[in-house]
């Protein structure tokens, strides 16, 4: 690759963020989530909620100690979001799993590796924090995200037959997990 070509490639960065005080970031998160929902490459919503709801949701997420937000940036703008929920710290009940609650990638950023990089960074951080299992639940209409997860090592282990109602229809929930436990094989 020559110098000219390398200057044309987008700069991609993945990081954990601790606030959305920057108005540009808040706008990028909202835009990314809306576009991902409309393209069917999302986790959580069926249709985009009002912009003020998205902004309030993410501002509030930073107030919850059991939530961590990761983002992918392309040329400085957020184009991917991952929210992970951790179990509350309780001495009597040590948990080993975290849960990906939101995963969204803007449609124009899907085919350049944003999703896998965001997922890898999330997985690395989660396992470094001592959670060797990551769980996900999707409704059965989220086929693009289901394919993405299974391609990236997640296993579909169960189906909830009555997960939620979408447009008047009952849809199934697909339960997935990925293990980072190093268990001896028998």
């Amino acid at each position: 690759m020559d110098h000219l070509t390398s200057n044309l490639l987008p700069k991609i960065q993945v990081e954990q963020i601790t606030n959305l005080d920057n108005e540009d970031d808040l706008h990028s998160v909202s835009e990314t989530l809306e576009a991902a929902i409309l393209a069917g490459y999302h986790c959580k919503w069926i249709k985009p909620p009002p912009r003020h709801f998205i902004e309030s949701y993410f501002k509030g997420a930073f107030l919850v100690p059991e939530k961590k937000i990761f983002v992918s940036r392309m040329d400085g703008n957020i184009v991917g979001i991952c929210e992970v929920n951790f179990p509350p710290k309780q001495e009597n009940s040590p948990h080993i799993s975290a849960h990906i609650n939101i995963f969204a990638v803007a449609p124009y950023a899907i085919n350049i590796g944003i999703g896998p990089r965001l997922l890898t960074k999330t997985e690395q951080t989660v396992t470094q924090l001592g959670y060797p299992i990551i769980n996900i639940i999707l409704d059965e209409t989220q086929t693009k995200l289901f394919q993405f997860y299974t391609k990236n090592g997640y296993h579909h282990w169960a189906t909830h037959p009555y997960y939620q109602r979408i447009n008047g229809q009952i849809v199934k929930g697909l339960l997935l997990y990925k293990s980072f436990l190093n268990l001896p094989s028998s």
Side-chain angles (χ1 to χ4, degrees):
M1 179 179 338
D2 61 34
H3 179 67
L4 181 61
T5 305
S6 67
N7 287 338
L8 297 177
L9 296 174
K11 181 180 177 201
I12 298 171
Q13 175 185 357
V14 181
E15 63 186 329
Q16 180 183 341
I17 59 172
T18 57
N19 65 63
L20 278 171
D21 294 340
N22 178 322
E23 284 297 317
D24 290 338
D25 282 353
L26 187 58
H27 176 74
S28 291
V29 162
S30 299
E31 186 177 282
T32 293
L33 188 60
E34 290 167 347
I37 292 167
L38 292 172
Y41 202 84
H42 62 90
C43 180
K44 192 167 180 78
W45 288 283
I46 307 160
K47 61 182 181 176
R51 177 66 62 104
H52 68 86
F53 179 85
I54 295 171
E55 292 175 357
S56 295
Y57 179 88
F58 281 101
K59 285 179 181 178
F62 295 108
L63 302 175
V64 180
E66 293 85 14
K67 290 184 185 281
K68 297 212 179 298
I69 308 291
F70 299 85
V71 296
S72 289
R73 295 179 187 272
M74 184 171 65
D75 294 332
N77 296 312
I78 295 173
V79 295
I81 311 155
C82 183
E83 178 194 271
V84 180
N85 293 338
F86 295 88
K89 298 283 185 199
Q90 298 175 354
E91 290 181 36
N92 295 335
S93 181
H95 295 275
I96 64 167
S97 64
H99 180 89
I100 292 179
N101 189 41
I102 295 174
F103 191 91
V105 176
Y108 52 86
I110 289 173
N111 293 323
I112 58 171
I114 294 288
R117 288 168 108 169
L118 178 59
L119 187 59
T120 298
K121 173 66 173 175
T122 301
E123 291 170 347
Q124 289 170 346
T125 303
V126 168
T127 57
Q128 288 170 356
L129 291 172
Y131 297 90
I133 307 291
I134 299 176
N135 294 315
I136 301 166
I137 187 165
L138 305 170
D139 72 63
E140 66 182 327
T141 68
Q142 296 171 315
T143 55
K144 292 177 185 175
L145 207 49
F146 179 81
Q147 291 168 353
F148 168 78
Y149 281 126
T150 56
K151 182 179 176 184
N152 284 282
Y154 285 76
H155 303 281
H156 175 210
W157 67 276
T159 300
H160 187 306
Y162 310 107
Y163 177 60
Q164 66 184 15
R165 187 182 307 268
I166 298 176
N167 299 325
Q169 300 292 317
I170 301 293
V171 297
K172 297 174 185 171
L174 308 174
L175 289 75
L176 298 99
Y177 79 95
K178 186 171 184 179
S179 172
F180 297 91
L181 290 171
N182 293 320
L183 298 175
S185 56
S186 45

